[in-house]
Amino acid sequence: MEIKKITDIPGIQIGNAHDLDAVTGCTVILCEQGAVTGVDVRGGAPGTRETDLLKSENYVDKVHAVMLAGGSAFGLDAAAGIMQFLEEKGVGFDVGVTKVPIVCGAVLFDLACGDHRVRPDKAMGYQACIAAQRQEFSEGSVGAGTGATVGKFFGSQHAMKGGLGSYCVQVGNLMLGAVVAVNCFGDVIDPGSGAVLAGAYQDDPFAFLSTEEGMIKQYDKATNAFASNTTIGAIITNAALTKAQANKVASMAHNGYARTMRPAHTMLDGDTIFALSAGHVAADVNVVGLLAARVMEQAVISAIKKASPLSGFKSFQDVNGRFVNMRKL
């Protein structure tokens, strides 16, 4: 199994746009030739666009872009810029009088990080497309991960920085990768070692707190319904998949969330994963699904390790090597 860059997958372009002062941004995955796409929404508070199209029984079977953005529901505006960019290039579903780009997307809540008055908008969506066309893709506190944070059960003063990550592998002719913006309610764990990479913490002395244990102790109290969460991502592959199979791959990819986030899929998260099939390589859907979980797991870890401190939030880079309590969960 060979590790590749996610932008090595043919037919795919990925780009970011962000405002580091306002601490928000968006990421776009362009597939101008169209990609068979599925989705699986697991969290209880999702913010999504055009996901009904991806139901197996519905007509349209290919999308031309997937958007991941901050800004909560306001961030859905960024899709308009992606629509404009693709329409100008003549890309979309042919309806006779014009071509309508099929742009799916999901948003995460980052309004509590930075300036809540500034959100991803049409202009930012367009800028992300330009970056994608230039193959200017980076990870960390960028794009949809700019304002992402993790471990918020004990309050934002105990939370750490999340971010945007990716990971891609090749097995023979099969290529499969993940891109994810990690903004989870819970803590992020390295499943290999059991070590906490980022999450709720205490200062003086520095030590990680356990979100799950904290929730269990307060089982009789309502969890803060306004906590800012949701992890959103996409699986991208050159495997030939039907829409039903793409939906299954998106479902299996959520195992990558479950392996790295404690807890995952709460009522306060809007956890969503898209799966894009942009090729014609024959592959067992079960193998594609298990690899999807693996690359998603590694993309989550990459997002945390590459995140930079921003807006007063510590990052993995701040505390790595200075852990007092590497709690194993």
Side-chain angles (χ1 to χ4, degrees):
M1 188 179 299
E2 183 181 359
I3 298 174
K4 308 287 285 189
K5 294 191 299 183
I6 195 165
T7 49
D8 290 338
I9 299 176
I12 294 292
Q13 298 173 313
I14 310 176
N16 300 317
H18 40 256
D19 185 326
L20 295 181
D21 293 324
V23 197
T24 193
C26 68
T27 299
V28 63
I29 304 164
L30 296 179
C31 33
E32 294 184 12
Q33 300 306 310
V36 176
T37 302
V39 69
D40 192 316
V41 181
R42 295 281 180 94
T48 56
R49 182 184 196 274
E50 295 277 40
T51 52
D52 277 353
L53 279 177
L54 306 182
K55 292 179 179 179
S56 300
E57 69 271 21
N58 287 344
Y59 180 61
V60 173
D61 63 348
K62 291 188 177 181
V63 308
H64 304 101
V66 168
M67 176 197 74
L68 309 174
S72 189
F74 298 108
L76 293 170
D77 286 350
I82 302 168
M83 294 278 290
Q84 178 183 340
F85 178 86
L86 291 172
E87 185 183 29
E88 289 174 355
K89 298 192 71 176
V91 173
F93 182 81
D94 193 343
V95 294
V97 294
T98 188
K99 291 184 178 180
V100 180
I102 307 301
V103 179
C104 299
V107 292
L108 57 81
F109 189 108
D110 61 1
L111 300 180
C113 184
D115 187 347
H116 71 277
R117 298 167 297 181
V118 178
R119 304 99 178 212
D121 56 11
K122 182 178 181 179
M124 190 178 285
Y126 195 93
Q127 291 167 8
C129 291
I130 293 174
Q133 193 171 45
R134 296 172 179 166
Q135 288 289 37
E136 296 174 355
F137 176 66
S138 58
E139 301 174 56
S141 298
V142 295
T146 303
T149 51
V150 302
K152 288 158 277 193
F153 176 72
F154 298 96
S156 61
Q157 70 272 24
H158 298 286
M160 285 181 62
K161 194 71 186 65
L164 183 74
S166 73
Y167 195 80
C168 182
V169 297
Q170 181 168 357
V171 183
N173 294 325
L174 175 65
M175 299 183 72
L176 194 140
V179 59
V180 62
V182 182
N183 186 60
C184 56
F185 176 70
D187 308 315
V188 179
I189 313 300
D190 181 341
S193 66
V196 182
L197 300 178
Y201 72 93
Q202 68 177 31
D203 263 326
D204 196 26
F206 180 89
F208 282 119
L209 306 170
S210 170
T211 295
E212 287 191 334
E213 292 303 315
M215 291 175 69
I216 292 169
K217 289 177 181 178
Q218 299 184 35
Y219 73 91
D220 57 341
K221 298 178 182 178
T223 309
N224 178 13
F226 298 101
S228 49
N229 318 294
T230 290
T231 296
I232 50 178
I235 296 296
I236 307 167
T237 182
N238 65 352
L241 300 175
T242 65
K243 191 159 60 165
Q245 290 173 327
N247 280 314
K248 182 59 177 178
V249 168
S251 175
M252 294 178 72
H254 273 280
N255 291 333
Y257 282 7
R259 292 170 188 168
T260 54
M261 302 175 207
R262 307 283 177 85
H265 308 136
T266 74
M267 291 298 291
L268 307 179
D269 289 292
D271 297 340
T272 299
I273 297 178
F274 297 91
L276 294 81
S277 167
H280 305 284
V281 175
D284 181 348
V285 67
N286 298 293
V287 176
V288 176
L290 74 86
L291 286 174
R294 286 191 183 184
V295 295
M296 183 58 76
E297 173 185 313
Q298 294 301 315
V300 170
I301 293 172
S302 180
I304 294 301
K305 289 188 173 181
K306 293 182 180 179
S308 303
L310 199 61
S311 193
F313 289 95
K314 294 182 187 298
S315 72
F316 172 87
Q317 297 175 16
D318 287 316
V319 301
N320 187 35
R322 296 194 294 111
F323 293 143
V324 176
N325 177 18
M326 293 290 284
R327 180 187 296 272
K328 291 188 177 182
L329 302 181

